[in-house]
Amino acid sequence: MLAMDSDGGSALTSAQKDALMDKVKQEIMIANFQELLQKMTEKCFKQCINKPGTSLDNSEQKCLAMCMDRYLDAYNTVSRAYSTRIQQEHHQ
């Protein structure tokens, strides 16, 4: 239930604000992951699949696995660097 402020409108409690922020952060993480998956799929498909068919041959499977591994490694490296930078800026 929302608390009422002095104007008669509803105001969020501190706990409700925290819960809302957690929900927003979770939604952003999901959107970022979906975007990562889409980009990774597009790039690796272009790079590895020359003739789309009903199945993947061994070289296509290996190429996709390696491409996805490299893409995720790069994404994780950038994410860690970004998180570190944000934390450093908050402590200054």
Side-chain angles (χ1 to χ4, degrees):
M1 184 162 168
L2 297 176
M4 300 299 262
D5 63 16
S6 60
D7 296 332
S10 59
L12 296 176
T13 65
S14 179
Q16 289 170 325
K17 286 179 187 177
D18 289 344
L20 181 59
M21 285 302 294
D22 287 344
K23 179 73 173 165
V24 169
K25 287 177 186 176
Q26 184 179 31
E27 292 293 326
I28 290 171
M29 285 178 19
I30 290 169
N32 285 340
F33 182 74
Q34 288 173 333
E35 182 181 2
L36 167 67
L37 191 57
Q38 178 186 0
K39 286 182 179 181
M40 183 173 56
T41 301
E42 288 172 8
K43 289 180 185 291
C44 293
F45 185 87
K46 274 185 193 177
Q47 180 179 339
C48 298
I49 309 299
N50 297 320
K51 298 177 190 173
T54 58
S55 63
L56 300 173
D57 64 28
N58 278 344
S59 64
E60 290 171 330
Q61 290 177 18
K62 288 177 185 176
C63 180
L64 285 171
M66 289 175 57
C67 178
M68 293 173 76
D69 285 345
R70 284 193 309 269
Y71 204 90
L72 288 173
D73 286 344
Y75 180 81
N76 287 334
T77 300
V78 170
S79 293
R80 281 191 302 272
Y82 180 74
S83 294
T84 300
R85 184 173 180 176
I86 294 295
Q87 288 175 355
Q88 288 173 347
E89 288 178 6
H90 283 296
H91 293 297
Q92 290 181 1

